[in-house]
Amino acid sequence: MTPQQLKNSILQMAMQGKLVEQRPEEGAGEELYRQIQEEKKKLIREGKIKKEKPLPEITEDEIPFEIPESWKWVRLGDISSYAQPKVKISPSQIQPDMWSLDLEDIEKDTGKVIIRVLAVNRKIQGDKVRFWKGNILYSKLRPYLLKILIAEDDGITSPELIPFNIYGCEEQRFYLWYLRSPYVDSAVNDVSYGVKMPRVGTETMVNLLVPLPPLAEQKRIVAKIGQLMPYIDQYAVAYDNLQSYNNRFPDDLKKSILQQAIQGKLVPQDPNDEPASVLLEKIAKEKQKLIKEGKIKKQKPLPEITEEEIPFEIPESWRWVRLGNVITDTEAGKSPQCKNRPATKQEWGVIKTTAIQDGYFLADENKVLPSGFQIKSDQVVHAGDLLITRAGPQNRTGVTCIVNNEPGNLILSDKTVRIRYVKGLVSENYLMYALKSPAVQRCITGAKSGMAESQVNISQNNMQLFVLPFPPLAEQKRIVAKLDELLPQIDGMK
């Protein structure tokens, strides 16, 4: 049960006479109703309110739920000043120190005043409506926001906020809670009019059915609600914390499994596997061969990994490496002035950073290249490419994926980098998972630079320096197979 459902349940119980017991000595709602009618007649004689047309009798078909025998069903217009003319005030009459209450000053759902503004500090246009301390203020505009409160002081407000009183009744809070109850919320919003800015009409409100308990019972109901609301607030905090935990749990579990994977704790080590040290020698020889053939450029020697850079222990058959040790090179593309729409299969496009998601590639996330742009073959994106974002917003930088299917006519942008590796000697999927792991992501975060958090970048030189654990090739493949089995199941939990 959500906090709102719990609150609604308590309010509904209160309005059905199930929250506190009935006491015969407190009288009946009929007696209070007669007192209210006498008060109305008196105010009419004194010229303080206008006589209104009688409202229709309440039929059995209209009654929404049962109430105690000592209560009485009435219409809001019969007991309140809701339909009475409001006191208007022109801008020239408004005093600078008047409280000027706008709908935007009221918190939705709770009805709390979140900011109190004096008229001198607000640009006022058009007539306003006066209200007085103790008035119920009801927003007829977008009533589903439940911007309903009791005025703590005199002030002025928009005509969209209706001030009114219950006649001859010192306890207004019972009616405040009733207007916030699920029954009224549903009944009012079902008949509100207007699409973008729905409103509830005066006729709807004056004909609204209201349960009328004896005044003493109203006070006890209000007191009981006041006792319970702090507990609902505490429940709301606990509920939100639990929801937050549940929402985070799949991602936290995924991070934990990735961390276990790169620490050699996800699959067992096999002593028959060729150790990573031998694999690194093979990679180094292959890179030397590619340099001699002119297929890649010679790299500058990378710095040795220091003890301070090693965050945890790994199995003996593994080795700590820099990313540059196990890849051949990195390459970024171009970002010419493009049209901001997806390219068709016949057009060439440049990929956006948003095309690179956490582990998968969105081929539709691209822009159309200008006609006549010279396409270079080493910029074209192909199936099997290991990509990483190198620039953009903080949360969009350092995101990796492998392009699973041939994406069509797309090239890299200057904000995306392709990581090239020696096929057959390195598992590209292991590299992707390692780059996504919490420990390596911390390394990536440390490599980010920029003038503002909203726009950062990682240089290709810094990418070469990323430190990651490197298992034997056979174990890389076992790790990938296990992750490919587990991670989709975790994604299914979201």
Side-chain angles (χ1 to χ4, degrees):
M1 181 180 286
T2 68
Q4 188 60 51
Q5 289 170 334
L6 178 58
K7 182 183 285 186
N8 286 346
S9 177
I10 289 172
L11 290 180
Q12 193 60 33
M13 288 177 62
M15 300 309 149
Q16 290 183 241
K18 297 179 179 179
L19 196 60
V20 300
E21 77 282 3
Q22 283 72 54
R23 298 175 182 174
E25 68 273 15
E26 291 178 348
E30 181 67 44
E31 297 171 13
L32 178 58
Y33 180 72
R34 287 198 297 268
Q35 293 172 17
I36 290 173
Q37 298 314 302
E38 288 300 320
E39 177 67 18
K40 280 181 69 175
K41 291 176 183 177
K42 177 174 178 261
L43 293 172
I44 291 169
R45 288 195 303 269
E46 295 172 350
K48 293 180 179 178
I49 65 171
K50 292 186 177 182
K51 187 176 181 179
E52 299 167 348
K53 291 181 180 180
L55 295 172
E57 292 290 327
I58 297 172
T59 66
E60 287 292 328
D61 293 339
E62 290 181 276
I63 295 174
F65 50 81
E66 291 186 0
I67 54 174
E69 289 185 7
S70 59
W71 292 26
K72 179 180 177 64
W73 280 110
V74 298
R75 296 192 189 278
L76 183 62
D78 277 333
I79 63 171
S80 78
S81 62
Y82 190 95
Q84 288 290 318
K86 308 309 174 191
V87 179
K88 294 186 178 180
I89 182 170
S90 66
S92 62
Q93 297 173 304
I94 296 172
Q95 299 300 311
D97 60 349
M98 283 183 172
W99 176 21
S100 175
L101 178 65
D102 273 3
L103 285 175
E104 64 197 38
D105 304 340
I106 305 169
E107 187 175 60
K108 68 175 184 177
D109 298 328
T110 68
K112 293 178 182 177
V113 176
I114 53 181
I115 183 171
R116 183 163 171 148
V117 181
L118 296 180
V120 69
N121 296 320
R122 176 159 272 156
K123 186 177 181 180
I124 295 175
Q125 295 178 333
D127 290 350
K128 295 294 182 181
V129 172
R130 291 295 309 270
F131 64 83
W132 285 268
K133 182 178 180 180
N135 282 166
I136 297 174
L137 301 176
Y138 182 86
S139 174
K140 67 178 182 179
L141 177 65
R142 295 195 292 176
Y144 56 86
L145 295 178
L146 296 178
K147 293 192 174 186
I148 315 165
L149 66 152
I150 293 177
E152 298 177 350
D153 208 342
D154 301 348
I156 58 173
T157 188
S158 157
E160 302 288 4
L161 201 59
I162 307 299
F164 69 97
N165 282 325
I166 306 298
Y167 293 123
C169 186
E170 61 190 52
E171 180 56 81
Q172 306 282 319
R173 287 179 295 172
F174 173 81
Y175 305 94
L176 172 76
W177 287 120
Y178 181 63
L179 290 170
R180 301 182 66 82
S181 70
Y183 162 70
V184 175
D185 186 38
S186 175
V188 166
N189 286 294
D190 282 348
V191 295
S192 60
Y193 60 92
V195 179
K196 291 185 178 179
M197 301 290 276
R199 289 174 171 80
V200 59
T202 300
E203 186 177 352
T204 296
M205 294 305 296
V206 297
N207 282 285
L208 182 70
L209 294 190
V210 179
L212 191 67
L215 185 57
E217 189 172 345
Q218 289 184 30
K219 292 179 179 180
R220 289 190 291 112
I221 290 171
V222 168
K224 177 58 74 173
I225 292 173
Q227 290 174 7
L228 294 175
M229 285 302 155
Y231 293 106
I232 296 175
D233 292 340
Q234 292 175 22
Y235 173 73
V237 172
Y239 181 89
D240 289 345
N241 288 339
L242 180 60
Q243 288 295 104
S244 177
Y245 172 78
N246 288 338
N247 291 337
R248 292 194 320 266
F249 178 72
D251 286 337
D252 288 348
L253 180 59
K254 183 185 289 188
K255 290 176 183 177
S256 176
I257 289 174
L258 286 171
Q259 189 62 31
Q260 292 285 307
I262 66 165
Q263 287 187 238
K265 297 179 179 180
L266 189 64
V267 299
Q269 281 74 53
D270 186 339
N272 296 316
D273 288 344
E274 182 180 76
S277 57
V278 176
L279 180 60
L280 288 169
E281 290 175 1
K282 290 182 177 180
I283 292 171
K285 288 180 181 178
E286 183 62 25
K287 287 171 71 173
Q288 287 298 321
K289 177 186 172 187
L290 293 172
I291 292 169
K292 288 179 181 178
E293 294 172 351
K295 294 181 179 179
I296 65 172
K297 293 180 180 179
K298 185 177 181 179
Q299 297 173 315
K300 291 181 179 179
L302 297 173
E304 292 290 327
I305 298 172
T306 65
E307 289 291 331
E308 290 76 14
E309 291 180 280
I310 297 176
F312 48 79
E313 291 186 359
I314 54 175
E316 288 185 9
S317 59
W318 293 32
R319 287 293 180 270
W320 282 103
V321 299
R322 296 198 185 276
L323 182 62
N325 296 137
V326 296
I327 65 173
T328 54
D329 60 5
T330 60
E331 53 192 6
K334 302 287 185 182
S335 285
Q337 293 297 317
C338 300
K339 295 179 183 178
N340 193 16
R341 66 177 178 81
T344 66
K345 290 183 179 179
Q346 290 74 36
E347 296 173 309
W348 277 92
V350 58
I351 64 174
K352 298 180 183 179
T353 56
T354 48
I356 301 174
Q357 297 291 317
D358 182 16
Y360 61 94
F361 181 76
L362 297 175
D364 291 337
E365 286 289 316
N366 54 74
K367 297 180 179 181
V368 178
L369 282 166
S371 59
F373 184 81
Q374 295 298 311
I375 306 296
K376 295 182 179 180
S377 60
D378 60 357
Q379 296 173 349
V380 178
V381 180
H382 295 290
D385 283 349
L386 174 58
L387 305 180
I388 184 169
T389 57
R390 60 160 294 273
Q394 182 77 252
N395 64 341
R396 291 292 314 142
T397 308
V399 182
T400 61
C401 79
I402 291 175
V403 182
N404 292 322
N405 299 307
E406 201 61 38
N409 297 340
L410 292 180
I411 67 168
L412 296 167
S413 75
D414 65 342
K415 295 181 180 179
T416 55
V417 170
R418 173 170 34 219
I419 297 174
R420 299 180 66 181
Y421 50 90
V422 180
K423 293 184 179 180
L425 295 181
V426 177
S427 166
E428 66 274 23
N429 284 285
Y430 174 78
L431 285 183
M432 178 186 70
Y433 284 134
L435 289 168
K436 289 166 58 176
S437 68
V440 181
Q441 278 292 311
R442 285 193 290 271
C443 180
I444 292 173
T445 298
K448 294 177 183 179
S449 62
M451 297 300 293
E453 288 189 2
S454 60
Q455 199 69 23
V456 298
N457 65 78
I458 308 171
S459 71
Q460 292 184 67
N461 286 337
N462 282 338
M463 284 186 183
Q464 298 276 342
L465 301 177
F466 292 165
V467 175
L468 62 153
F470 196 65
L473 183 57
E475 189 169 348
Q476 290 181 35
K477 293 177 180 179
R478 292 198 301 274
I479 290 171
V480 167
K482 193 65 176 178
L483 290 173
D484 286 346
E485 174 191 344
L486 295 175
L487 297 187
Q489 297 178 38
I490 297 171
D491 288 335
M493 298 167 62
K494 294 183 179 179

